[in-house]
Amino acid sequence: MLAAAVLTITSCATERGASPIGSGTQAAEAQESSGGSQDFGTLESPCGEGDASGATDQGVSDTEIKIGYGDDRGYAQSPGLNKEMSDAVTAMIDWCNEQGGINGRTIVGTDYDAAMTQANTVMQEACRSEFMMVGHGFAMDQTAEQTRVACNMAAVPAYTVSPDAANGPMTFQGVPFPVDYANGAAWFQMAKMHPDMLKDFDLVGSTMPTIITSLQKTRSMAEAAGFELKNCGVTINYQGEPSYLPFAEKYKQCGVKGLWTSRSPVPNEFNFFKAVQQVGLDPIIFGEATWYADTASEFNEGSGLLDNLNADMTFQMLENADEVPAVAKYQELVEAQGGKTALLGMQATSSFLLWATAAKECGSDLTRQCMIDELASIHEWDGGGLHAVTDPGKNMPAKCGLMVALEGGEYTQAFPEKKAEFDCSDEYLIKTEPSTWGTELGPDRISTKYLGPNVIKPQV
């Protein structure tokens, strides 16, 4: 179960880092383009002085707003897991407070460590003191969801994992990943990049239940984009195989020229692609944003085995900081505190900014009800330019994406050709089959599992 949770996280994020912006002219231009402390990319800062007052809700006083955030950095099998999220929120809290907080109230953050197995304990603690949870992500969020809903802990997480949390009540995300809709941009882009290979791709199967479910969704997206996927019948044990050569040979006999994998860039996956090369295959390798990662580029720098790799992104590349002021601003703030920059950190940043934007609008009436009303009314959001436009208010994903390519140890944008530009279309939004949801949704597309009569609902 723990391994499944870790995998699910990486399906929508990556640990890819970046070097500092630099010094001299390039750094000065990047800092200037980020708009100074009063703007975050194209987003006017929601932070600043004001005269908001009143103890309007738990965690809110005349002078303070208490929020919780956090990650799984204390997980013994992966120390520091997703710490880039807390690094980002810590930096954003400081940035906001330097401007005067939210309408004059200082933000006081509690940085929680769920250490993978302690998500419910963390949520129980947060329920006693925090106004909201913001910019967090816990791999085992399914263990905390009932507690969160029961105490009406409204949340703007960086990411969710379990179906009940992804479509949970009182939850809004800067980059939503609901269970009932998916952004299929990557498959449409792959079809444009390789129109002669629509009948030559297959999916890498796995014994893990969460991957089996995700493959059903992936197949539907591929078919919507015009692919007729092969069904080579290859299923690989998630825990590893003594030898990957028989599986690679089976793909070769099947005539595969492209392979899509939901796995992360881990040693077992590298061993699989070594076997693919050994049997004489040189396929296009297609993966999610998790493949935009230091581990992949470091492995490929010495081997070249992933030179045919493409990974799809909803976020801007960190390498695009010179073109995207929001990315430059994110790097500037996090690196100034010695934190780690990565896509998951940008995801936490986007959710923090979403929360702060709604909180500003509430003014003195800073209640969870007001926050939910305001968040539900935000239907166009890109975090100041960090990512493609989403609809947090309706919990709808982006209809855009860009594709990156890896050669040696360097990533570049492969599609669209113009750097920092997204490819968008309404047809990229795919409605998924209910059999893949993993939860029951009500007519408002909210998970019904933990709903009670006291759940706060939007009144807009």
Side-chain angles (χ1 to χ4, degrees):
M1 179 61 74
L2 294 182
V6 175
L7 171 81
T8 311
I9 295 171
T10 59
S11 70
C12 61
T14 170
E15 51 80 33
R16 171 76 173 161
S19 58
I21 294 172
S23 59
T25 303
Q26 183 182 4
E29 290 177 350
Q31 186 167 357
E32 182 179 352
S33 66
S34 67
S37 63
Q38 301 307 310
D39 294 303
F40 196 96
T42 59
L43 178 70
E44 182 179 350
S45 175
C47 310
E49 301 288 347
D51 56 2
S53 62
T56 53
D57 208 325
Q58 174 179 293
V60 180
S61 69
D62 275 339
T63 59
E64 294 182 344
I65 309 169
K66 295 181 179 179
I67 63 171
Y69 60 105
D71 49 51
D72 288 302
R73 59 189 177 275
Y75 181 44
Q77 295 184 33
S78 183
L81 182 62
N82 301 331
K83 185 178 180 295
E84 55 266 33
M85 293 193 306
S86 290
D87 287 347
V89 177
T90 298
M92 294 305 296
I93 289 174
D94 289 348
W95 173 75
C96 200
N97 284 339
E98 286 170 3
Q99 299 172 57
I102 302 290
N103 296 317
R105 289 186 175 112
T106 298
I107 304 169
V108 178
T110 305
D111 188 359
Y112 292 101
D113 177 11
M116 190 68 77
T117 61
Q118 302 301 312
N120 190 48
T121 300
V122 163
M123 195 59 65
Q124 289 172 340
E125 294 177 5
C127 281
R128 291 193 287 266
S129 60
E130 311 297 349
F131 173 53
M132 290 181 65
M133 292 293 290
V134 180
H136 63 292
F138 305 132
M140 301 289 283
D141 60 11
Q142 73 271 22
T143 65
E145 184 65 4
Q146 184 173 8
T147 298
R148 184 190 70 81
V149 176
C151 79
N152 280 345
M153 181 54 66
V156 189
Y159 72 81
T160 52
V161 176
S162 65
D164 292 310
N167 284 65
M170 303 175 293
T171 295
F172 300 85
Q173 298 181 70
V175 182
F177 285 89
V179 299
D180 53 336
Y181 284 90
N183 178 6
W187 281 101
F188 285 88
Q189 291 167 4
M190 185 59 70
K192 295 174 183 177
M193 294 169 66
H194 301 283
D196 57 332
M197 294 178 60
L198 296 180
K199 297 182 179 181
D200 297 327
F201 268 82
D202 199 16
L203 312 181
V204 179
S206 173
T207 57
M208 180 174 285
T210 54
I211 295 182
I212 293 171
T213 300
S214 72
L215 290 180
Q216 296 177 37
K217 294 181 180 180
T218 300
R219 186 170 291 275
S220 66
M221 287 188 282
E223 291 172 352
F227 283 85
E228 297 179 25
L229 295 176
K230 292 180 177 292
N231 189 7
C232 300
V234 176
T235 300
I236 298 175
N237 191 318
Y238 181 77
Q239 300 298 332
E241 297 285 355
S243 172
Y244 289 98
L245 287 172
F247 304 95
E249 188 63 43
K250 193 168 185 179
Y251 277 125
K252 181 180 181 180
Q253 294 173 359
C254 194
V256 160
K257 296 180 182 177
L259 287 171
W260 184 90
T261 177
S262 65
R263 291 285 298 270
S264 304
V266 295
N268 281 342
E269 195 76 349
F270 295 152
N271 289 335
F272 167 69
F273 285 115
K274 286 179 182 177
V276 167
Q277 184 194 55
Q278 288 171 7
V279 300
L281 276 180
D282 188 26
I284 298 296
I285 303 170
F286 182 20
E288 296 174 316
T290 180
W291 284 89
Y292 175 69
D294 290 337
T295 51
S297 61
E298 289 166 3
F299 169 79
N300 196 55
E301 192 168 16
S303 70
L305 287 176
L306 303 179
D307 276 346
N308 285 343
L309 173 69
N310 290 126
D312 68 276
M313 306 263 285
T314 304
F315 274 79
Q316 289 285 354
M317 300 173 64
L318 291 164
E319 287 85 352
N320 288 350
D322 59 341
E323 297 278 347
V324 185
V327 176
K329 188 67 175 179
Y330 161 72
Q331 289 183 308
E332 172 198 331
L333 295 176
V334 174
E335 289 169 357
Q337 298 194 352
K340 177 183 178 182
T341 57
L343 288 192
L344 203 54
M346 287 200 284
Q347 204 156 315
T349 299
S350 175
S351 284
F352 176 88
L353 289 168
L354 179 66
W355 171 82
T357 297
K360 177 185 178 181
E361 293 301 314
C362 286
S364 288
D365 184 30
L366 188 58
T367 63
R368 293 176 185 175
Q369 181 67 66
C370 179
M371 288 296 297
I372 287 171
D373 292 347
E374 290 294 336
L375 288 164
S377 70
I378 299 175
H379 299 299
E380 289 190 7
W381 183 257
D382 67 357
L386 289 175
H387 53 78
V389 175
T390 65
D391 185 344
K394 292 184 179 179
N395 194 24
M396 294 294 284
K399 304 174 185 177
C400 308
L402 61 81
M403 195 79 74
V404 303
L406 177 63
E407 184 171 353
E410 301 295 326
Y411 286 95
T412 56
Q413 182 170 323
F415 192 91
E417 289 185 5
K418 186 176 180 181
K419 185 177 180 180
E421 185 176 287
F422 287 106
D423 171 48
C424 306
S425 174
D426 287 343
E427 69 176 341
Y428 296 169
L429 186 65
I430 309 297
K431 186 171 178 59
T432 61
E433 291 295 326
S435 61
T436 68
W437 293 353
T439 189
E440 182 177 336
L441 303 182
D444 54 3
R445 299 180 49 242
I446 290 177
S447 172
T448 61
K449 189 170 184 178
Y450 300 120
L451 283 180
N454 297 321
V455 165
I456 304 172
K457 299 180 179 180
Q459 297 178 354
V460 292

